[in-house]
């Protein structure tokens, strides 16, 4: 059985070069969808804007300015985002066709021939990772370069990253590296530095986890993503309770009305329903 | 509220399925109640309810298939495609090996509402079909035998269970996501359930009146149950609104959120209650007018519930910004339409805590 692998993305050394995005497009033969339109988003250097069916990696550019009129202080955070390959993956949990599976490398993979395009996974993913392909009409997301893993290669994005912001390797080793790096930063005075997804507090753990310099929301990451099935018990309980009330109520109404009642002043044999 | 998700773009097909599925489920349930606990006068009304349930389920199935991005693969909901294809390659249904492989093909993920719902819909559809046949051709042999024997009672029990499931799982399906509003409450399922009861009663009242089915007393019995269902819907709607907590503010900043809450409340509950309870049955138009309002309200409920998260995502944290104007807007990005797209927008946004 192969070892569980993952990504550790150290956002402190990301330079926003987008080599990871290019490598992902190149290896997976993904088109540059908006190239022909030559559209600039106006949002910093981010012109792909978000994850999409053809953008399985997305480099975020987060410009922060102080609230004073001169914007005297500025910070620029960059982060290469990707599918988190969650331990308790919401997409895998809800997929009714079992098209989404966990691989032998502990990554989450969409088997395209089985997907029927119900889009339940799109709604379930708390990170907005999964999108429907306009070409094949099935769900699309990072495959963790499953084809490369099978032959012992690192995923294309990690291979291309020039600053080793995206580190690939066995999960246990990556987590040790992440803790070491975090303590190093904290010693340097980066008090807001934190790991996201390295422990089991976020969906049981993320196989692609991050070192952040601000709170998760700053990077467009939910602080408390939910496992979809957590609501099923509550919904079921209240539904049964309501169903019983409806059934009993309607039943009593029917029986009450259906009972024959004696017409006042009439003879004993004269009844009406 | 999670603004970082992608919109699954469930639209009119799903709205239609939730609405018609609720009516079908409620009608079947009422039909069984009328048959078991009603009088002989109620029989024609029960028959009408069976006539409603099965055709609507067919329409619902078509809507669900149309909604899929790959409609030809609808059967993947119930069978593992690779196993089924292997069984076909092994000669299913003409070979033993094919059958043995096919036995491993069915897929049911009971913790996934969509997977469980597919089976629930199939079970309910089968029960509704048999009941439909029994009522359309009551004199034919299988119907004559079935209608007077215990298998029919068992079928009705399964049908009622399927109806209950169908009416409520649709709400659970929405809650079992990470979409804003849907995932912040568990009250959508009971709300859809009680709405299924009120809309099915309204449908039966309208059809019974239009086709002049059943006696006046029998129809009054149905009409008498409607205020009860509406009263319960009012309570559950209150529970739904209360369960949103701090997230209610952003929901009310959307057009569809207002349609969901105030549209359902006024047109779907209060106006028909007023027509039925205050104005009473002595006016010939009050019951049909109330029934039409209930149906429109039921449709509004589904429309609002299905489409509000999409609007929340399109407007992004701006809806939340309305509650924190000092900190809530990213500098240089006023009014940007970001949805899950822009971390930059989120960077200085004060989002309500979950």
């Amino acid at each position: 059985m192969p070892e569980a692998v993952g990504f550790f993305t150290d956002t402190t050394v990301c330079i926003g070069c987008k080599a990871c995005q290019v490598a992902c497009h190149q290896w997976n033969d993904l088109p540059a969808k908006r190239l022909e339109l030559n559209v600039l988003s106006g949002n910093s250097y981010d012109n792909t804007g978000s994850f999409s069916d053809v953008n399985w990696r997305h480099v975020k550019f987060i410009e922060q300015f102080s609230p004073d009129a001169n914007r005297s202080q500025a910070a620029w955070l960059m982060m290469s985002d990707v599918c988190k390959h969650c331990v308790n993956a919401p997409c895998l949990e809800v997929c009714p066709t079992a098209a989404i599976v966990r691989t032998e490398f502990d990554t989450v993979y969409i088997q395209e021939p089985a997907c029927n395009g119900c889009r339940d996974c799109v709604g379930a993913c708390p990170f907005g990772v999964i999108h429907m392909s306009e070409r094949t009409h099935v769900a699309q997301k990072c495959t963790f370069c499953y084809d490369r893993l099978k032959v012992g290669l690192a995923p294309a994005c990690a291979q291309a990253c020039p600053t080793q912001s995206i580190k690939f390797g066995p999960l246990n080793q990556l987590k040790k590296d992440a803790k070491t790096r975090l303590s190093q930063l904290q010693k340097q005075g980066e008090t807001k530095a934190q790991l996201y997804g390295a422990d089991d507090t976020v969906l049981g753990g993320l196989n692609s986890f991050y070192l952040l310099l601000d709170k998760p929301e700053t990077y467009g990451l939910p602080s408390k993503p939910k496992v979809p099935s957590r609501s099923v018990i509550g919904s079921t309980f209240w539904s049964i309770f309501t169903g019983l009330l409806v059934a009993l109520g309607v039943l009593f109404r029917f029986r009450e009305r259906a009972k024959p009642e004696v017409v006042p002043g009439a003879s004993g044999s004269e009844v009406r329903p | 509220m999670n603004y970082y998700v992608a919109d699954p773009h469930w639209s009119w097909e799903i709205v239609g399925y939730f609405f018609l599925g609720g009516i079908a489920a409620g009608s079947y349930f009422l039909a069984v109640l009328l048959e078991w606990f009603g009088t002989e006068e109620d029989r024609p009304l029960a028959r009408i309810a069976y006539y409603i349930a099965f055709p609507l389920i067919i329409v619902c199935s078509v809507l669900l298939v149309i909604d899929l991005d790959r409609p030809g693969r609808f059967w993947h909901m119930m069978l593992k495609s690779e196993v089924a294809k292997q069984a076909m390659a092994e000669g299913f249904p003409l070979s033993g090996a094919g059958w043995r492989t096919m036995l491993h093909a069915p897929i049911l993920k009971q913790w996934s509402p969509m997977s469980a719902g597919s089976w629930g819909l199939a079970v309910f559809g089968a029960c509704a079909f048999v009941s439909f046949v029994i009522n359309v051709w009551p004199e034919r042999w299988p119907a004559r035998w079935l209608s007077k024997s215990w298998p029919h009672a068992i079928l009705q029990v399964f049908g009622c269970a399927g109806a209950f499931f169908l009416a409520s799982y649709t709400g659970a399906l929405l809650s079992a996501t990470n979409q804003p509003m849907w995932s912040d409450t568990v009250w959508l399922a009971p709300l859809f359930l009680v709405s299924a009861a009120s809309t099915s009663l309204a449908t039966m009242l309208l059809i019974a009146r239009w086709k002049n089915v059943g006696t006046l007393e029998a129809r009054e019995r149905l009409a008498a149950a409607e205020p009860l269902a509406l009263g319960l819907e009012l309570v559950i709607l209150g529970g739904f609104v209360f369960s949103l907590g701090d997230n209610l503010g952003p929901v009310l900043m959307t057009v569809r959120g207002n349609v969901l809450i105030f549209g359902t409340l006024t047109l779907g509950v209060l106006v028909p209650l007023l027509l039925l309870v205050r104005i009473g049955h002595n006016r010939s138009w009050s019951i049909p007018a109330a029934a039409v309002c209930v149906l429109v309200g039921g449709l509004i409920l589904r429309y609002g519930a299905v489409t509000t998260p999409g609007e929340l995502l399109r407007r992004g944290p701006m809806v939340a910004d309305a509650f924190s104007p000092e900190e809530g807007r990213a500098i240089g990005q006023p009014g940007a339409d970001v949805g899950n797209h822009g971390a930059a927008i989120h960077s200085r946004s004060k989002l309500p805590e979950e």
Side-chain angles (χ1 to χ4, degrees):
Chain A
M1 189 74 180
E3 212 173 355
V5 295
F7 288 133
F8 163 43
T9 304
D10 182 352
T11 64
T12 63
V13 292
C14 178
I15 56 171
C17 67
K18 303 189 194 176
C20 51
Q21 265 187 262
V22 173
C24 180
H25 273 257
Q26 193 176 30
W27 180 259
N28 294 296
D29 201 18
L30 299 170
K33 202 174 183 179
R34 294 166 70 180
L35 194 63
E36 70 279 12
L37 297 174
N38 197 22
V39 173
L40 300 178
S41 71
N43 180 16
S44 193
Y45 283 78
D46 183 0
N47 290 319
T48 47
S50 68
F51 289 116
S52 73
D53 58 329
V54 294
N55 289 306
W56 297 351
R57 261 209 180 264
H58 172 225
V59 178
K60 293 174 174 176
F61 294 82
I62 300 144
E63 296 181 16
Q64 294 180 309
F65 300 99
S66 56
D68 60 283
N70 295 325
R71 300 183 179 185
S72 55
Q73 290 182 318
W76 201 1
L77 306 176
M78 281 161 264
M79 172 186 149
S80 180
D81 202 4
V82 73
C83 170
K84 316 297 181 288
H85 298 272
C86 320
V87 171
N88 297 323
C91 57
L92 191 152
E93 186 183 77
V94 300
C95 178
T97 63
I100 303 182
V101 295
R102 188 167 291 283
T103 70
E104 64 271 34
F105 303 104
D106 205 20
T107 60
V108 178
Y109 182 81
I110 299 176
Q111 303 178 101
E112 290 188 20
C115 175
N116 66 3
C118 70
R119 309 190 293 285
D120 207 6
C121 54
V122 177
C125 176
F127 307 106
V129 164
I130 305 181
H131 290 261
M132 301 307 295
S133 167
E134 290 175 10
R135 194 170 49 86
T136 58
H137 304 288
V138 293
Q140 299 279 298
K141 75 167 191 72
C142 162
T143 63
F144 213 104
C145 284
Y146 182 68
D147 48 352
R148 290 173 66 94
L149 292 184
K150 288 286 275 184
V151 293
L153 293 174
C157 52
Q159 183 87 39
C161 181
T163 63
Q164 290 196 322
S165 172
I166 305 169
K167 290 191 181 74
F168 163 76
L171 262 178
N172 290 337
Q173 185 58 46
L174 288 178
K175 285 179 182 174
K176 279 182 199 160
D177 293 350
K179 280 176 189 160
T180 308
R181 175 68 178 148
L182 178 66
S183 61
Q184 184 187 17
L185 284 170
Q186 284 172 337
K187 277 178 196 161
Q188 289 172 359
E190 284 288 355
T191 53
K192 289 173 85 176
Q194 57 184 289
L195 291 174
Y196 180 79
D199 57 19
D200 60 2
T201 53
V202 180
L203 299 172
L206 306 178
N207 286 4
S208 173
F209 60 95
Y210 298 82
L211 175 61
L212 308 175
L213 285 178
D214 207 332
K215 61 183 193 297
E217 282 85 353
T218 302
Y219 292 85
L221 299 169
S223 55
K224 293 175 193 164
K226 297 167 185 170
V227 177
S229 61
R230 93 246 166 254
S231 66
V232 172
I233 292 173
S235 295
T236 306
F237 172 80
W238 287 112
S239 298
I240 291 172
F241 182 69
T242 307
L244 284 174
L245 285 182
V246 169
L248 289 174
V250 174
L251 186 62
F252 283 132
R253 275 287 193 203
F254 275 31
R255 288 182 70 85
E256 188 180 290
R257 295 275 175 143
K259 260 191 266 175
E261 72 183 58
V262 179
V263 178
S267 64
S269 60
E270 195 175 341
V271 293
R272 65 179 169 86
Chain B
M1 225 180 240
N2 187 346
Y3 290 102
Y4 312 109
V5 295
D7 185 354
H9 296 291
W10 286 335
S11 58
W12 66 269
E13 298 95 341
I14 299 300
V15 174
Y17 165 58
F18 286 3
F19 178 61
L20 299 177
I23 294 176
S27 299
Y28 190 92
F29 180 69
L30 286 172
V32 175
L33 275 187
L34 284 166
E35 249 190 89
W36 286 3
F37 302 105
T39 61
E40 201 51 41
E41 296 170 341
D42 296 325
R43 280 291 306 168
L45 284 174
R47 198 171 301 127
I48 284 284
Y50 287 126
Y51 290 167
I52 294 170
F54 178 64
L56 283 186
I57 280 302
I58 297 295
V59 175
C60 288
S61 306
V62 171
L63 286 173
L64 282 180
V65 171
I66 291 172
D67 177 68
L68 295 175
D69 279 19
R70 296 292 293 260
R73 296 181 179 177
F74 71 93
W75 57 275
H76 290 202
M77 289 287 187
M78 304 178 83
L79 298 173
K80 288 177 199 151
S81 55
E82 71 278 12
V83 180
K85 281 173 185 165
Q86 190 189 335
M88 299 299 276
E90 288 172 359
F92 178 84
L94 301 175
S95 75
W99 275 97
R100 277 192 294 279
T101 305
M102 192 54 104
L103 284 177
H104 299 285
I107 177 172
L108 169 62
K109 292 165 83 170
Q110 65 273 18
W111 58 89
S112 162
M114 192 175 279
S115 176
S118 304
W119 285 97
L121 185 64
V123 169
F124 176 69
C127 296
F129 169 70
V130 177
S131 296
F132 180 80
V133 168
I134 287 173
N135 282 277
V136 171
W137 295 287
E139 298 307 319
R140 298 280 173 87
W141 170 76
R144 207 171 55 225
W145 177 76
L146 265 173
S147 61
K148 288 177 182 167
S149 58
W150 57 267
H152 189 219
I154 291 176
L155 179 96
Q156 287 175 318
V157 170
F158 273 99
C160 280
F164 167 79
F165 181 80
L166 182 64
S168 56
Y169 98 91
T170 46
L173 171 71
L174 298 184
S175 293
T177 60
N178 265 291
Q179 295 290 302
M181 189 184 84
W182 291 352
S183 62
D184 299 309
T185 179
V186 293
W187 285 76
L188 279 170
L191 187 57
F192 281 10
L193 177 74
V194 73
S195 173
S198 65
T199 50
S200 56
L201 277 166
T203 308
M204 285 178 62
L205 280 170
L206 282 178
I207 292 181
R209 185 185 168 92
W210 175 42
K211 292 288 181 187
N212 202 21
V213 178
T215 61
L216 189 63
E217 288 76 17
R219 276 187 257 161
E220 276 189 354
R221 256 172 248 152
L222 275 185
E226 186 70 282
L228 197 136
L230 289 173
L232 192 56
E233 192 169 342
L234 185 63
V235 173
I236 302 288
L237 185 64
F240 165 70
V241 170
F242 184 74
S243 71
L244 290 176
D246 292 342
N247 299 316
L248 180 62
V251 168
L252 289 179
M253 293 298 289
T254 63
V255 175
R256 291 173 174 96
N258 280 288
V259 167
L260 165 65
I261 294 171
F262 295 113
T264 308
L265 178 67
T266 51
L267 206 54
V269 180
L270 294 181
V271 171
L273 261 181
L274 192 73
L275 285 168
L276 289 171
V277 178
R278 297 293 298 172
I279 295 174
H281 301 163
N282 51 347
R283 292 172 199 255
S284 61
W285 52 267
S286 66
I287 291 177
V292 169
C293 286
V294 169
L295 287 175
V296 174
L299 189 58
I300 281 175
L301 167 66
R302 271 65 170 205
Y303 170 78
V306 170
T307 57
T308 297
E311 188 178 342
L312 278 166
L313 291 176
R314 276 193 298 281
R315 297 180 65 173
M318 278 191 65
V319 284
D321 287 355
F323 299 92
S324 56
E326 293 83 12
E327 297 178 74
R329 199 158 287 115
I331 295 166
Q333 302 290 342
D337 179 15
V338 286
N340 66 315
H341 308 316
I345 312 303
H346 300 300
S347 65
R348 300 184 68 84
S349 295
K350 185 180 177 186
L351 298 174
E353 292 296 318
E354 285 181 318

